[in-house]
Amino acid sequence: MCFMTENGEAPPLVVLADVNKHFGNLHVLRDINLTISRGEVVVVIGPSGGGKSTLCRTINRLETVDSGTITFDGQPLAAEGRALARLRSEVGMVFQSFNLFAHKTILENVTLGPIKVRGLSRTEAERRGMELLERVDIGAQASKYPAQLSGGQQQRVAIARALAMNPKMILFDEPTSALDPEMVQEVLDVMIGLAAEGMTMMVVTHEMGFARRAANRVVFMAEGQIVEENTPEAFFTSARSERAKDFLSKIL
Ligand code: ADP
Ligand code: MG
């Protein structure tokens, strides 16, 4: 379901307006204004502790906000009950630490949500699950357990699991940060493929190659604020703020 505005156009998928969030005395999100259009790939970068993970988590309401508004698909974020469950199923999330169910097989990891939340039959969920596992090149591992797979393979399963819910958007929070270097590209390649197919994505990452290839926009965040946003090309070659220049000088 997609809600139309008065002039008949689909609204942006996500709109954060003047969002603020505190943890005790710590002001972690400061007047965040951010719009993500359908099909857009937004890379969020910035120093540790700047609020990037919290920003991700507010969009699927793993965190509440203190003030401001967030709309998803033209509607205020659901607060509870079935509407919240639907929101969570429409916004996939892929974490740094994979978060697969350790005691379930790879295929079960991918079919659990569709069976429980979407009400798919086991047969249908398994057919679609295998299709997705093959797509991320893990089909042969379907009956293994997460610990039997490499980190890169586990993260590809996590992406397949997110896709199994047919999400409208996927949030990636440092999806390659916990991986051995030789496994980073196999995960980024899957993400680049998703971006090319038009998946709406917000990706917290310091992988500049990914940002240059797949991002429509880079958002630089520090100390709870969006300091600047620009195209990847403009951001990496001519960041405007001292804060961003300083950050880039340390990671490039
Ligand atoms: P980033 O992902 O950019 O490193 P985070 O969003 O994880 O930043 O954290 C922003 C700030 O909020 C940090 O100072 C962090 O320690 C703090 N923080 C994050 N989650 C919590 C929490 N649940 N309770 C208290 N402080 C938190
Ligand atoms: Mg983080």
Side-chain angles (χ1 to χ4, degrees):
M1 187 166 40
C2 162
F3 298 90
M4 297 291 165
T5 55
E6 278 171 14
N7 59 11
E9 283 173 19
L13 190 58
V14 183
V15 181
L16 288 90
D18 299 322
V19 166
N20 283 277
K21 166 83 182 168
H22 297 76
F23 287 119
N25 289 332
L26 193 64
H27 197 170
V28 280
L29 296 179
R30 297 169 182 255
D31 294 322
I32 298 290
N33 288 286
L34 180 67
T35 297
I36 302 175
S37 302
R38 290 161 207 278
E40 200 178 15
V41 177
V42 175
V43 160
V44 180
I45 79 170
S48 181
K52 304 180 300 296
S53 295
T54 305
L55 176 67
C56 282
R57 294 164 58 84
T58 61
I59 295 177
N60 64 357
R61 219 170 187 281
L62 287 172
E63 298 285 356
T64 57
V65 300
D66 300 334
S67 66
T69 57
I70 305 179
T71 59
F72 182 79
D73 208 6
Q75 300 275 295
L77 276 201
E80 55 189 18
R82 292 177 62 170
L84 179 59
R86 191 176 73 218
L87 171 77
R88 295 263 166 80
S89 74
E90 288 177 345
V91 183
M93 184 139 182
V94 173
F95 302 88
Q96 181 173 339
S97 51
F98 325 139
N99 292 12
L100 297 178
F101 303 113
H103 303 292
K104 305 241 175 249
T105 67
I106 297 308
L107 182 59
E108 285 165 350
N109 264 274
V110 176
T111 57
L112 199 68
I115 292 171
K116 291 228 150 132
V117 181
R118 291 266 193 237
L120 256 65
S121 69
R122 177 166 304 277
T123 314
E124 179 56 16
E126 287 183 351
R127 189 194 60 74
R128 170 124 171 86
M130 281 310 299
E131 222 173 74
L132 289 167
L133 289 176
E134 263 145 37
R135 171 175 172 181
V136 299
D137 223 6
I138 301 286
Q141 326 287 336
S143 57
K144 291 189 179 167
Y145 287 85
Q148 295 173 280
L149 270 57
S150 73
Q153 289 174 321
Q154 289 187 57
Q155 196 60 304
R156 284 184 279 142
V157 173
I159 295 173
R161 182 174 64 175
L163 289 171
M165 299 296 278
N166 278 329
K168 290 183 175 157
M169 171 181 197
I170 304 183
L171 305 166
F172 293 84
D173 191 1
E174 304 209 33
T176 60
S177 300
L179 298 177
D180 292 334
E182 73 272 21
M183 293 169 188
V184 168
Q185 198 58 45
E186 68 194 47
V187 172
L188 294 179
D189 284 343
V190 171
M191 294 166 60
I192 288 167
L194 287 179
E197 287 166 24
M199 175 61 75
T200 308
M201 297 160 60
M202 186 164 102
V203 184
V204 179
T205 185
H206 297 158
E207 291 292 336
M208 302 304 144
F210 172 80
R212 282 179 192 272
R213 259 190 83 183
N216 301 105
R217 191 150 47 112
V218 172
V219 169
F220 176 73
M221 209 178 160
E223 286 147 24
Q225 285 180 303
I226 293 178
V227 178
E228 62 177 286
E229 44 183 315
N230 216 326
T231 60
E233 188 56 31
F235 181 76
F236 293 124
T237 57
S238 47
R240 293 178 294 247
S241 64
E242 285 308 314
R243 198 80 182 74
K245 284 182 200 163
D246 179 56
F247 177 77
L248 287 170
S249 74
K250 287 175 183 144
I251 63 162
L252 289 181

